[in-house]
Amino acid sequence: MAETVETQTRAPEPKRFHTVVSDLAALRKAAQARRYGNGVFPPELPSRAVIAKLLIDLAAILYPRHFGPPEEQLQAPDQHLARQLDRVFLTLREQVRRELKLFSSDMTDEAVALRATEIAEDFVHGLPKVRALLDTDVTAAYLGDPAAKSIDEVIFCYPGVVALIRHRLAHRLYRLGAPMSARIIAEIAHSETGIDIHPGATIDEGFFIDHGTGVVIGETTIIGKGVRLYQAVTLGAKRFNVEENGGLEKGKPRHPIIEDDVVIYAGATVLGRITIGRGSSIGGNVWLTHSVPPGSNITQAKAHVEFFDHGAGI
């Protein structure tokens, strides 16, 4: 009887799918050869799971009352924070080392390790500045939404704040020279909130994304102080320039510049390297591909209805 049960529960023989295994292995090896060269063992990659856990730790460091374990904070908050920072540094250094090794084939292992250490140290030292910026975002959300009952509610519940916590961290990594790790953070935020902010986007203080679902902010976007966006706003590129070899140009300025105190309402699409002047208001569902001066009020054309009686107008 025992033998029968064992036979019934035993996993299928591996050879059942041997053709699938061999086909996938061949495709994998071919892809690796194209990316890394023949005979080169595939390098280690940054881990999305590790970076996701790192984000949880970073949120607890920035806002311990909201995201940290309260029982540990009450015992020795400074000592607990010191341990957290050390753990974040070590984890981030390893992820950055993997990224640098992947994209810096001309660097020695020692040089890669040294640069990863420098990036991780600079990142940790910059966390107070990140917290100070985020405080202006939280305040803007609280003051800008009549439904907000408290600062705590804003930090706990607002997807725009969640997205900005991730973006402020990702943007710093991007600027320090770890764009892939930064992009992983951005995509985690995208999946969590529905808000897609490229880590290269430059966003000044007091930024508020209300509701937020469907917001897209491109890589070279520049956003000034006190800007507010509503759901489904796109700050995108109008066109992509092509290089002589047929590939798309990378990293060229192609997204909007949004000056201070601009409000962009739900569903608006702003495309290209244009400037939205200070204090402007862009109405819902507007499609905008040209610059507008400060203080502009851009809305959709109003519907115009004509009635034709007895064949008039035909």
Side-chain angles (χ1 to χ4, degrees):
M1 183 67 177
E3 184 178 351
T4 303
V5 172
E6 182 182 352
T7 302
Q8 291 174 349
T9 59
R10 192 167 55 223
E13 292 294 333
K15 64 181 181 182
R16 177 178 298 182
F17 302 113
H18 72 279
T19 56
V20 177
V21 171
S22 61
D23 288 347
L24 288 175
L27 290 168
R28 186 173 64 252
K29 289 177 182 178
Q32 290 170 354
R34 288 193 298 271
R35 291 199 298 272
Y36 314 123
N38 289 311
V40 177
F41 191 79
E44 297 174 291
L45 297 174
S47 167
R48 181 184 174 101
V50 170
I51 292 176
K53 175 61 171 62
L54 183 66
L55 277 176
I56 295 174
D57 290 340
L58 285 166
I61 287 169
L62 292 170
Y63 289 100
R65 288 186 59 247
H66 300 86
F67 304 114
E71 66 281 356
E72 294 187 33
Q73 295 170 38
L74 292 174
Q75 295 173 3
D78 289 344
Q79 293 178 16
H80 177 63
L81 179 58
R83 290 193 298 269
Q84 283 182 305
L85 289 172
D86 192 58
R87 184 167 64 247
V88 161
F89 164 74
L90 294 173
T91 302
L92 180 61
R93 182 178 65 178
E94 172 58 18
Q95 297 307 303
V96 173
R97 184 196 68 78
R98 294 183 177 197
E99 176 179 346
L100 294 178
K101 186 64 177 175
L102 182 64
F103 294 108
S104 305
S105 57
D106 56 335
M107 294 176 65
T108 65
D109 289 346
E110 292 76 13
V112 166
L114 177 60
R115 183 65 187 129
T117 298
E118 292 172 348
I119 290 175
E121 284 182 344
D122 286 348
F123 178 84
V124 172
H125 283 300
L127 288 175
K129 290 184 179 180
V130 172
R131 165 70 198 242
L133 266 176
L134 286 168
D135 284 348
T136 69
D137 302 327
V138 169
T139 299
Y142 175 68
L143 296 177
D145 185 1
K149 301 300 188 292
S150 69
I151 291 290
D152 292 320
E153 179 189 12
V154 168
I155 297 172
F156 272 129
C157 304
Y158 279 41
V161 170
V162 172
L164 280 173
I165 290 174
R166 274 83 174 134
H167 175 72
R168 300 290 189 196
L169 296 168
H171 182 69
R172 181 153 182 81
L173 269 182
Y174 185 90
R175 292 298 183 194
L176 287 172
M180 186 175 185
S181 298
R183 191 61 184 267
I184 292 172
I185 291 174
E187 292 309 319
I188 291 171
H190 186 193
S191 65
E192 289 176 335
T193 65
I195 297 170
D196 184 2
I197 310 177
H198 192 284
T202 301
I203 301 175
D204 212 325
E205 64 185 45
F207 185 51
F208 176 32
I209 303 175
D210 200 356
H211 305 294
T213 304
V215 165
V216 177
I217 301 175
E219 176 188 16
T220 62
T221 303
I222 299 175
I223 296 176
K225 295 179 175 65
V227 171
R228 182 191 307 177
L229 306 184
Y230 287 83
Q231 66 271 21
V233 166
T234 297
L235 304 180
K238 183 178 179 181
R239 62 175 61 89
F240 303 105
N241 294 326
V242 178
E243 296 177 335
E244 292 181 359
N245 62 6
L248 295 179
E249 288 185 344
K250 304 286 186 178
K252 296 294 181 67
R254 59 194 185 278
H255 299 100
I257 298 171
I258 312 299
E259 294 186 345
D260 298 351
D261 302 317
V262 168
V263 179
I264 305 180
Y265 287 95
T269 300
V270 183
L271 301 181
R273 193 58 162 187
I274 63 175
T275 298
I276 308 302
R278 179 173 184 163
S280 293
S281 176
I282 310 301
N285 296 317
V286 164
W287 179 277
L288 190 60
T289 59
H290 63 271
S291 296
V292 299
S296 297
N297 185 12
I298 309 298
T299 60
Q300 291 191 84
K302 293 182 179 179
H304 180 67
V305 180
E306 294 184 1
F307 294 95
F308 302 107
D309 295 327
H310 306 295
I314 299 177

